Amino acid sequence: MFDVIVIGGGAAGFYAAIHIAEQAPELKIAIFERGKTVLSKVKVSGGGRCNVTHGEFSPKELATNYPRGEKELLGPFHKYAPMDVMSFFEERGVSLKIEEDGRVFPKSDSSQSIIDCFLNEAERLGVKVLRNSSVKRFERKDEGWQVTTMNKHYQTKKLLLATGSNPKIWQQLEQMGHHIVPPVPSLFTFNITDERINGIQGISVDAAVEVLPKKVFATERTGLGLKSTSHTEPVLQSEGPVLVTHWGLSGPAILKLSAWGANLLHDYHYSFRLNVNWTPEYTTGSMEAFLRKVKEVEAKKTVLRTPAVDIPKRLWAKLVHAAHIQPDEKWADVTKEKLQELSKQLTACSFRVEGKSTFKEEFVTAGGIDLKEINFKTFESKLLPDLYFAGEIINVDAITGGFNFQNAWTGAYLAAQGIVASF
């Protein structure tokens, strides 16, 4: 018999259990983890450094980093935000640092600092951690819940689910009346096979990227009768560093597109057209005008060895080649057609995306418990009393940069408050 059972030995589960135990030391608390190791996602996050949160201290601004959950998390972020998380770790001897891009890491640059902190706190506070305890079933019983593992039944007054993207748990919740938004991947990189980026992996460029729609044809009435026109307004846009990889394109701008477009790109079966403007300060027209001036000024120099814009030389060489300009061709000899083509390659470089890859080890899912069914003051189920949620089990996900962890910490903290207050 426990007062509180937390299912899921990850970031949200431990954070909640620790806060409950601190505020109500008399309660019997257990964490059930299906695997033999706890906090495995914390271990690999941020390339093994653990991107704890983000140094964005305005709740309103913070919430804008959540493609799903922006509106719902605004209130919770007013109550528990990155500064509170940083204080939590600092008070427990884990020194943190805010990097230039706003991401927050332990000064040790090791996720083990976070894991050790959680394990030490759980032990100090008497939280029981049951590993290899896969939950087969949980059901409402009398004044609480019964949790069934392989060979045991446990009783608890309050149940907190922090199981991440676990289809079996979602399935049980669905049987109990919760609506589950079908999960799709979020935060992924784009697979592209294209000569223009082949062999130049590792270069990063501040660029503007946009996903074009699957061709939609509309019929327009013109003076000559009816004609079919293709709609090519972008359906997703983003700006920021774009990284060329062995398998295609990655970097913050691409990851942002994948998060905001998680459902749309899933509907496209990850096959779509991507436009990259390697020089976002220019349009195709203004680039062409600029290149005409360069042609006059640098007439005697070769195009290949005289980059007109500030992009990596290896990329410039690839784009010059794609514009059919010869290696020894001088600016003076470049035809109008080739100049137009080079302008296009620089500002509207079109790629065919065929598939996706997981970003590092950070597998993030869009989908989960419908947000309308959660009380965001306490993260308690609106349908099932004494049942609480925290972390990725709910339909909240964020772009990269520590925001997914912040959702876990905030939800876990408010669920802990709600649980303690309900005793």
Side-chain angles (χ1 to χ4, degrees):
M1 178 76 195
F2 289 99
D3 294 304
V4 184
I5 286 178
V6 176
I7 303 178
F14 266 85
Y15 207 71
I18 288 164
H19 278 288
I20 295 164
E22 265 198 328
Q23 290 166 56
E26 72 284 0
L27 297 180
K28 279 184 74 181
I29 305 158
I31 296 173
F32 285 46
E33 168 54 46
R34 63 179 171 174
K36 59 173 190 266
T37 54
V38 291
L39 301 160
S40 48
K41 211 167 172 182
V42 172
K43 179 91 178 148
V44 297
S45 78
R49 295 165 65 210
C50 190
N51 182 185
V52 180
T53 182
H54 198 93
E56 173 54 78
F57 302 124
S58 152
K60 198 166 181 218
E61 286 304 313
L62 181 63
T64 62
N65 295 286
Y66 295 81
R68 282 144 292 273
E70 176 176 355
K71 180 166 61 74
E72 290 82 0
L73 287 175
L74 187 55
F77 285 156
H78 274 285
K79 289 182 188 151
Y80 200 81
M83 192 56 94
D84 302 298
V85 173
M86 291 176 75
S87 299
F88 171 88
F89 287 113
E90 296 272 358
E91 283 161 14
R92 286 158 184 79
V94 182
S95 299
L96 301 173
K97 57 178 177 177
I98 303 179
E99 297 199 338
E100 237 176 87
D101 59 4
R103 292 183 303 162
V104 177
F105 290 94
K107 278 188 183 164
S108 65
D109 278 327
S110 168
S111 54
Q112 198 59 44
S113 305
I114 304 298
I115 293 169
D116 291 344
C117 170
F118 283 152
L119 293 176
N120 294 340
E121 284 297 281
E123 193 178 349
R124 177 179 76 82
L125 295 161
V127 174
K128 212 170 169 61
V129 180
L130 302 171
R131 294 170 172 84
N132 295 312
S133 295
S134 183
V135 170
K136 300 294 165 207
R137 215 169 50 252
F138 52 91
E139 53 206 316
R140 192 91 183 121
K141 283 276 162 124
D142 310 323
E143 292 301 299
W145 289 85
Q146 179 172 289
V147 174
T148 305
T149 60
M150 191 66 87
N151 48 13
K152 275 190 185 172
H153 295 300
Y154 298 87
Q155 310 302 320
T156 182
K157 292 170 191 163
K158 312 285 174 187
L159 183 60
L160 170 66
L161 299 181
T163 46
S165 312
N166 184 325
K168 285 181 182 162
I169 299 289
W170 278 334
Q171 205 176 350
Q172 285 192 62
L173 286 168
E174 218 158 14
Q175 287 161 3
M176 293 173 168
H178 266 291
H179 175 241
I180 305 299
V181 177
V184 298
S186 178
L187 276 196
F188 48 84
T189 60
F190 296 170
N191 295 355
I192 298 167
T193 306
D194 194 294
E195 194 42 53
R196 289 166 298 177
I197 54 172
N198 186 27
I200 60 169
Q201 56 274 2
I203 71 164
S204 179
V205 183
D206 273 322
V209 286
E210 53 187 35
V211 172
L212 296 180
K214 294 281 187 183
K215 273 196 177 162
V216 180
F217 287 97
T219 306
E220 278 182 9
R221 191 173 289 282
T222 66
L224 305 166
L226 295 176
K227 79 165 185 175
S228 213
T229 60
S230 167
H231 283 232
T232 52
E233 282 298 305
V235 288
L236 293 167
Q237 291 172 303
S238 172
E239 206 167 309
V242 172
L243 176 69
V244 179
T245 68
H246 287 281
W247 57 88
L249 295 177
S250 181
I254 298 295
L255 294 169
K256 244 184 252 180
L257 277 189
S258 76
W260 288 98
N263 289 306
L264 178 76
L265 300 181
H266 175 262
D267 292 345
Y268 282 1
H269 304 293
Y270 308 105
S271 170
F272 54 91
R273 182 67 62 187
L274 179 79
N275 270 3
V276 181
N277 183 346
W278 301 106
T279 54
E281 63 275 23
Y282 290 96
T283 62
T284 306
S286 66
M287 177 57 79
E288 198 189 329
F290 172 65
L291 292 181
R292 280 202 299 270
K293 286 182 187 160
V294 174
K295 179 178 155 94
E296 286 171 27
V297 176
E298 306 286 12
K300 292 180 180 170
K301 293 181 181 170
T302 61
V303 178
L304 187 63
R305 291 193 198 87
T306 323
V309 289
D310 185 21
I311 60 171
K313 282 183 180 156
R314 289 187 298 159
L315 176 62
W316 172 258
K318 289 279 188 182
L319 300 180
V320 166
H321 178 72
H324 313 295
I325 296 169
Q326 300 308 309
D328 56 355
E329 201 165 336
K330 292 185 170 61
W331 277 103
D333 303 327
V334 179
T335 63
K336 182 186 171 188
E337 288 72 30
K338 286 183 182 179
L339 219 53
Q340 283 172 340
E341 187 53 39
L342 182 56
S343 305
K344 233 163 92 179
Q345 293 293 341
L346 287 163
T347 58
C349 198
S350 185
F351 293 101
R352 180 94 226 150
V353 176
E354 290 294 353
K356 61 174 175 52
S357 293
T358 302
F359 173 60
K360 297 183 177 165
E361 302 290 332
E362 300 191 27
F363 186 78
V364 173
T365 314
I369 300 160
D370 195 319
L371 303 183
K372 292 194 286 292
E373 300 168 357
I374 299 161
N375 172 357
F376 277 92
K377 288 188 170 74
T378 57
F379 282 72
E380 186 178 9
S381 164
K382 285 182 182 176
L383 312 185
L384 302 161
D386 302 318
L387 178 65
Y388 298 78
F389 308 115
E392 220 186 301
I393 186 170
I394 68 176
N395 184 25
V396 165
D397 63 286
I399 63 170
T400 183
F403 301 107
N404 281 299
F405 269 138
Q406 185 57 50
N407 166 50
W409 312 136
T410 295
Y413 175 80
L414 291 178
Q417 300 282 94
I419 287 168
V420 171
S422 69
F423 274 99

